[in-house]
């Protein structure tokens, strides 16, 4: 689980990279869960929330950049 404070400290490139990793991880979790139930299915929703946090921070930075121009 990535906290919002930790995400804010990351650079834009780090956020994009981490977002890609988290999406791959979510895909693996879903596939594994479809084949045989996960030990902790809550991991899927936790991962989705982390992706949403990353996307939100990335979007807010893009908006801030366009407003500063």
């Amino acid at each position: 689980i990535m906290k919002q404070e930790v995400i804010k400290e990351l650079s834009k490139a780090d956020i994009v990279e981490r977002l890609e990793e988290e999406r791959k991880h979510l895909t693996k979790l879903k596939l594994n869960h479809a084949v045989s139930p996960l030990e902790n299915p809550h991991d899927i929703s936790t991962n989705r929330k982390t992706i949403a946090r990353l996307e939100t921070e990335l979007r807010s930075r893009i908006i801030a950049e366009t407003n500063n121009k």
Side-chain angles (χ1 to χ4, degrees):
I1 303 172
M2 289 189 75
K3 300 268 185 194
Q4 195 65 32
E5 300 87 44
V6 176
I7 293 172
K8 285 184 184 235
E9 293 173 4
L10 295 174
S11 70
K12 190 174 175 183
D14 288 340
I15 291 176
V16 172
E17 184 180 317
R18 187 65 195 235
L19 198 52
E20 193 176 311
E21 289 174 20
E22 290 294 331
R23 284 189 174 133
K24 285 180 184 176
H25 184 65
L26 179 62
T27 305
K28 282 183 184 177
L29 281 176
K30 284 182 175 180
L31 286 172
N32 289 342
H33 187 60
V35 174
S36 64
L38 290 176
E39 193 172 300
N40 189 1
H42 185 66
D43 288 345
I44 294 173
S45 60
T46 304
N47 192 267
R48 282 202 333 255
K49 288 177 184 178
T50 301
I51 291 171
R53 284 189 191 100
L54 289 165
E55 287 177 339
T56 302
E57 181 61 28
L58 188 60
R59 182 77 181 126
S60 66
R61 289 185 188 192
I62 291 170
I63 290 170
E65 282 178 11
T66 56
N67 288 342
N68 289 338
K69 287 184 179 177

